[in-house]
Amino acid sequence: MALPPDPIDELLPEVDACVIAVVEEILFRGKQEFVPNPEEPDTVDIPRDLPEQVAMLTIKEVLFGDLVLQGETVEVFKPPGDYVLREGVEGPFLLYQDEEDERPVIAGRYGPDSYSTNVLKSAIKRHNLT
């Protein structure tokens, strides 16, 4: 069974920005980890990490932070995890700056559909982030 998204009140203080963005292009996709054959034919959840990606995001709105600017198109890194990005996907992204990479990194377990904009705006207000 899949894990729930990271609790927003734990994740939000760890990131540098929250934005609404659209995935313009997938620039790189890592190699898919081995996918085991399930022993039971109706098994649907097979634990594995989906590959890392590098994508171009166009920033539609900055909800907090100064890591990126509204209207800017930026290259971001999506670590291996439980989802992959697709071109055209739009939604909220939580970003942080990694000391080892100049690109912003996408935080969170499941990507832009993990939290609604209203949930994020409430959490941003609760944590006094600007």
Side-chain angles (χ1 to χ4, degrees):
M1 184 167 172
L3 295 171
D6 299 300
I8 190 61
D9 288 318
E10 292 176 15
L11 185 58
L12 199 58
E14 303 297 318
V15 301
D16 298 311
C18 180
V19 301
I20 306 298
V22 62
V23 179
E24 296 293 341
E25 184 178 359
I26 304 300
L27 302 173
F28 171 80
R29 180 178 170 146
K31 188 174 186 290
Q32 175 63 53
E33 181 181 300
F34 171 75
V35 179
N37 284 327
E39 292 182 18
E40 298 175 25
D42 52 348
T43 300
V44 291
D45 277 340
I46 303 171
R48 68 189 184 285
D49 278 343
L50 296 171
E52 65 187 30
Q53 293 175 290
V54 175
M56 293 298 289
L57 296 183
T58 297
I59 309 303
K60 302 287 188 178
E61 182 181 357
V62 177
L63 300 180
F64 87 85
D66 58 6
L67 188 58
V68 295
L69 302 172
Q70 183 173 329
E72 183 177 30
T73 298
V74 296
E75 188 175 304
V76 298
F77 178 74
K78 193 241 11 129
D82 293 325
Y83 72 101
V84 291
L85 295 172
R86 293 182 322 276
E87 291 178 3
V89 169
E90 183 173 340
F93 289 85
L94 296 165
L95 304 173
Y96 66 92
Q97 188 63 61
D98 185 5
E99 294 175 8
E100 299 176 16
D101 196 333
E102 61 188 43
R103 299 173 293 204
V105 178
I106 299 172
R109 189 172 290 136
Y110 297 116
D113 59 352
S114 294
Y115 314 101
S116 73
T117 304
N118 288 338
V119 165
L120 286 168
K121 286 181 178 180
S122 292
I124 289 166
K125 186 175 182 179
R126 213 171 30 255
H127 289 270
N128 296 316
L129 298 168
T130 56

